Amino acid sequence: MYLYLKGGWIRDAQKLFDGIETMSLVTWNSMIAGHAQVMDLAGNDLSAYRSGYEALNIYLKLNRSGMKPDLFTFSSVLTVCSRLVALEQGEQIHAQTIKTGFLSDVVVGTALVNMYNKCGSIENASKAFVEMDTRTMISWTSMITGFSQQGWSQQALQLFEDMRLAGVRPNQITFVGVLSACSQAGMVNEALSYFKMMQKEYKIKPVMDHFACLIDMFVRLGQLNEAFDFIKKMDFEPSEFIWSLLIAGCRSHGNLELGFYAAEQLLELKPKDTETYVLLLNMYLSAGKWKDVSRVRKMMREEKLGKLQDWSWISIKDKVYSFKPNDKSHFHSGHIYKSLENLLHQAKSLGYVSLETLEVTDEDEEKTSSSTAYHSEKLAITFGLLSTPNTAPIRVTKSVFMCRDCHNFSKFISLLTAREIIIRDSKRLHKFVNGRCSCGDFGALL
Ligand SMILES: [Zn+2]
Ligand SMILES: [Zn+2]
């Protein structure tokens, strides 16, 4: 079984595992870790989700067998919960760590803080963080990143100063959290001084993520030339994501000239990501540049890139429900569509205007624009609203980044229903509360 797990043959390993009569904790743990690893390798798609739930299932079986989990079990299942945005399961595991006395373990404590942060439950994360006896650099970093992702910039920066006072040395990832906190709050001077501190005081060389934070900040503030200057200053090739940020910024601030220039630079890299092409297609399409639209489409065919694999998942109790755009395959589809129509209608009366986005098809079809009304996250949110108690937050995971329309719609829905809506897409965490999103509205690139 270990051999199969090592080689990544999870099914064969599972078969042997199912046949073993008396199992040691090590065997249980390696099977859980095996599924968790498959989930990591699968990236952000449906199979990742399934492997994650398989890991949680084995954990449930372990509990039923009467055996006591240890710190390896806890840290693996908590990591799985963070990836799945499975807060309910995470809370149950939290309760168990208290019962079994593992809560005081630093590895388990850190995994808990991380899980709550990734699930968008900042209050619980910060409570778990405060309760830790000893804090490592990783737990500090996780909490700083958590605050910053939720748009709590002041708290993130305060915690960073506390961390320095406590004599803990920050690393590369800590600074990503710090810079992104400054970026979200538009604190240019602070961002630049932390950027300097990182290099001078801590001798940390800036990587792509640090530049992305700074460029994101300038773009949010509409300082596109400053953003572009920073890109030119980087001593390595800017990534697809960096160009995408600049292009999205040019689009929303109406500087198309720079946008087109950035697009040319980006196309020279021969991007590998379908999302990048969709962004470009949207830009050319809204500017009416048909020649460029067909040029980009041709490149996509040459790079053999298909449609966007748009999926959204929501877990309710112990089950996962997945949605594709325009999905009608659910048992309750009729009901879901009816209430979605209703929500769209109510949102419109509050001022919501739906936006069209582009759907990329493999063929040379003329149809370039399609309705965004039934995008996967809209269906998942609606299903979540129907299937959970009135005050429960809605947590959705999405395989690609959100489009502007769904982003806008989610803001209205959080206002209409007075529910928290948390969506983790392929690039960011969005937490919608009372009509506002934690990403400061700059997370929806399409
Ligand atoms: Zn959408
Ligand atoms: Zn957002």
Side-chain angles (χ1 to χ4, degrees):
M1 191 192 96
Y2 294 136
L3 206 64
Y4 279 138
L5 280 174
K6 235 183 159 178
W9 292 297
I10 193 80
R11 273 176 219 290
D12 297 303
Q14 181 77 46
K15 244 183 241 158
L16 286 178
F17 179 81
D18 292 338
I20 303 174
E21 272 177 33
T22 42
M23 263 179 284
S24 69
L25 187 58
V26 180
T27 316
W28 283 104
N29 280 348
S30 37
M31 204 58 216
I32 292 174
H35 281 288
Q37 200 192 351
V38 172
M39 174 178 71
D40 276 340
L41 294 175
N44 212 17
D45 64 19
L46 191 59
S47 63
Y49 223 78
R50 294 213 173 103
S51 309
Y53 267 88
E54 204 42 58
L56 292 183
N57 258 332
I58 297 172
Y59 173 70
L60 286 179
K61 281 187 199 148
L62 159 71
N63 277 320
R64 266 182 253 131
S65 79
M67 205 172 286
K68 296 251 174 317
D70 67 1
L71 74 104
F72 296 104
T73 332
F74 284 128
S75 68
S76 316
V77 285
L78 285 169
T79 312
V80 169
C81 292
S82 1
R83 279 283 317 268
L84 297 175
V85 199
L87 184 63
E88 255 173 78
Q89 285 87 338
E91 279 172 339
Q92 282 161 19
I93 295 164
H94 185 180
Q96 245 180 331
T97 61
I98 299 172
K99 247 192 272 163
T100 46
F102 276 104
L103 185 64
S104 55
D105 182 87
V106 65
V107 176
V108 175
T110 307
L112 261 175
V113 171
N114 206 21
M115 181 278 293
Y116 280 125
N117 274 327
K118 294 265 167 67
C119 292
S121 178
I122 194 83
E123 293 83 5
N124 282 332
S126 112
K127 206 164 150 251
F129 179 77
V130 170
E131 281 167 1
M132 287 180 80
D133 296 334
T134 35
R135 297 180 192 108
T136 57
M137 188 270 291
I138 300 174
S139 49
W140 284 97
T141 300
S142 169
M143 202 58 230
I144 291 169
T145 310
F147 276 136
S148 133
Q149 281 184 338
Q150 309 263 333
W152 295 22
S153 298
Q154 294 297 347
Q155 284 85 342
L157 297 179
Q158 182 57 52
L159 199 62
F160 177 67
E161 292 305 331
D162 292 347
M163 174 185 186
R164 280 168 28 97
L165 274 179
V168 182
R169 200 187 147 79
N171 74 351
Q172 230 179 44
I173 303 166
T174 324
F175 274 101
V176 175
V178 170
L179 291 176
S180 107
C182 298
S183 161
Q184 300 241 5
M187 298 156 78
V188 176
N189 293 335
E190 286 81 355
L192 294 176
S193 92
Y194 282 124
F195 189 59
K196 209 180 269 169
M197 174 199 281
M198 172 178 93
Q199 298 170 76
K200 287 247 162 72
E201 203 175 324
Y202 294 103
K203 309 278 175 254
I204 298 171
K205 272 191 83 153
V207 295
M208 199 71 83
D209 286 342
H210 300 126
F211 282 104
C213 291
L214 293 171
I215 288 157
D216 192 25
M217 171 180 72
F218 287 123
V219 163
R220 279 164 191 276
L221 295 170
Q223 301 176 5
L224 300 169
N225 291 325
E226 281 81 353
F228 188 40
D229 283 344
F230 244 95
I231 294 181
K232 286 189 280 193
K233 255 189 252 164
M234 292 167 53
D235 50 8
F236 38 78
E237 190 86 61
S239 64
E240 288 183 40
F241 183 55
I242 296 230
W243 286 120
S244 304
L245 283 173
L246 184 64
I247 292 170
C250 290
R251 243 187 107 197
S252 60
H253 293 287
N255 186 343
L256 285 180
E257 207 178 314
L258 184 57
F260 292 142
Y261 175 80
E264 292 306 322
Q265 306 301 308
L266 178 56
L267 284 170
E268 254 170 47
L269 296 179
K270 292 212 160 72
K272 298 282 169 274
D273 209 342
T274 306
E275 292 181 287
T276 308
Y277 286 97
V278 177
L279 174 72
L280 287 171
L281 283 172
N282 269 324
M283 181 181 71
Y284 287 131
L285 197 81
S286 54
K289 295 200 147 214
W290 306 109
K291 260 196 195 139
D292 291 307
V293 170
S294 50
R295 180 167 65 114
V296 172
R297 279 179 182 279
K298 193 167 154 253
M299 275 188 77
M300 287 184 77
R301 277 195 301 275
E302 281 165 12
E303 297 292 320
K304 297 197 169 45
L305 291 169
K307 276 182 96 142
L308 275 188
Q309 295 294 323
D310 177 10
W311 283 91
S312 289
W313 304 277
I314 182 163
S315 77
I316 288 166
K317 296 210 174 94
D318 283 341
K319 273 193 85 175
V320 195
Y321 300 86
S322 59
F323 295 86
K324 282 187 292 189
N326 304 306
D327 202 335
K328 293 216 165 84
S329 64
H330 284 258
F331 184 62
H332 297 293
S333 280
H335 203 34
I336 296 172
Y337 275 79
K338 221 168 139 191
S339 30
L340 177 53
E341 291 299 343
N342 196 8
L343 288 169
L344 284 165
H345 183 74
Q346 288 183 50
K348 275 177 191 154
S349 67
L350 282 182
Y352 160 74
V353 186
S354 68
L355 296 165
E356 297 270 294
T357 17
L358 198 68
E359 188 173 299
V360 177
T361 50
D362 300 330
E363 309 90 56
D364 250 325
E365 274 179 57
E366 278 306 297
K367 191 184 142 224
T368 45
S369 180
S370 77
S371 165
T372 51
Y374 308 115
H375 273 179
S376 62
E377 63 269 53
K378 289 207 183 83
L379 296 170
I381 292 171
T382 311
F383 182 66
L385 290 169
L386 289 171
S387 334
T388 52
N390 270 335
T391 51
I394 308 284
R395 292 188 163 75
V396 172
T397 313
K398 188 172 157 62
S399 62
V400 292
F401 46 64
M402 293 186 80
C403 77
R404 292 175 189 207
D405 183 54
C406 292
H407 194 269
N408 196 22
F409 176 75
S410 308
K411 287 202 293 187
F412 277 98
I413 295 309
S414 71
L415 193 66
L416 264 172
T417 59
R419 295 245 214 154
E420 262 178 30
I421 299 172
I422 294 138
I423 300 185
R424 210 169 66 219
D425 71 9
S426 60
K427 298 286 188 291
R428 284 179 213 253
L429 182 106
H430 304 268
K431 184 171 180 173
F432 300 91
V433 184
N434 280 326
R436 300 178 61 150
C437 180
S438 62
C439 78
D441 279 358
F442 201 73
L445 296 182
L446 291 183

